[in-house]
Amino acid sequence: SIFVLSLLCALRDACRGRPTPALVPRTGRERECARGYYAIAAALFLLAAVPGLPALDPGRPVQIVAHRAGGTIGPENTLAALDEAIRSRAVMAEIDVRLTHDGELVVLHDANLRRVAGVNHAIHSLTLAQARGYDVGRMFSAEFAGERIPTLGEMLTRARGKMEMMIEIKTGEPEAVLQAVRDLGMEEQCVLAATNYGLLETVRQLAPEVRTCYIVSSFYGDVRRMDAADQLSIRADAATLSLVRQVHRSGKEIFCWTVNDEAT
């Protein structure tokens, strides 16, 4: 802004016949360069002044979300990872919820335990007690050996009053997830997310007071018509400037996944 203002002042002085010593063009090439600088300055000024093209608000809060409860600083989707995320002062933790064979809600991203526990068992084929028998911390680090799969209730209890929670519903049980949230009085502290827009419509009907988030890899269309979602969660490289502005203007929030380095 200071650079643009300086150029505009120099242009004003030149038009008035009042040379500014540091910017006086003495040769033809210098005069040509000066005209180019003035044109750029004027264009930047006009762009900044057009109401339809505002700059992103630097004062708008940016939320730091611990993906999979903090899966880069602890074994993903575990209480240990959540504790690390709380200590790291993240404002929200994103977790994934699935059902066991006996209908218990557990926090787990994959449908199978192979990647986190090294055993080839689908979570829907195991009871909660059986799932608890596997160590989901050792493969991350020996420091976390003995970590077990938490229930949704345990995860929410640990986060209550400390950080917001984004709960991605992996399997279709929005009613049970809502009940777990309501049992702890955490309606204002939680966001229910899904890649299935129909699940969000169900949540909106059952609990209009609970925030919802639609997870997509890309987005086309009018965000204002996304009535069942208060937030949009999109792949980082698909979050264009125009989309970010559209989401903000609609009064919604936008999240980008997954941003794990400073450059991104």
Side-chain angles (χ1 to χ4, degrees), residues 56-125:
L56 291 180
D57 180 4
R60 184 181 292 275
V62 174
Q63 300 186 48
I64 306 301
V65 181
H67 186 233
R68 301 186 189 177
T72 60
I73 52 180
E76 66 178 59
N77 280 319
T78 63
L79 294 175
L82 183 66
D83 289 340
E84 294 294 328
I86 292 171
R87 281 193 286 269
S88 297
R89 299 174 64 186
V91 299
M92 177 183 285
E94 181 268 352
I95 60 175
D96 307 278
V97 175
R98 292 187 178 275
L99 278 172
T100 62
H101 183 69
D102 51 347
E104 296 291 335
L105 292 169
V106 293
V107 181
L108 185 70
H109 181 273
D110 297 359
N112 194 290
L113 299 183
R114 185 186 299 109
R115 186 172 57 84
V116 294
V119 293
N120 187 21
H121 292 305
I123 188 65
H124 67 77
S125 69

Side-chain angles (χ1 to χ4, degrees), residues 16-35:
R16 291 178 178 177
R18 185 192 311 159
T20 304
L23 293 173
V24 173
R26 292 181 175 83
T27 67
R29 180 170 178 77
E30 287 175 344
R31 284 193 294 272
E32 184 178 346
C33 290
R35 282 195 294 269

Side-chain angles (χ1 to χ4, degrees), residues 21 148 210 258:
R148 305 298 169 181
V210 175
T258 304

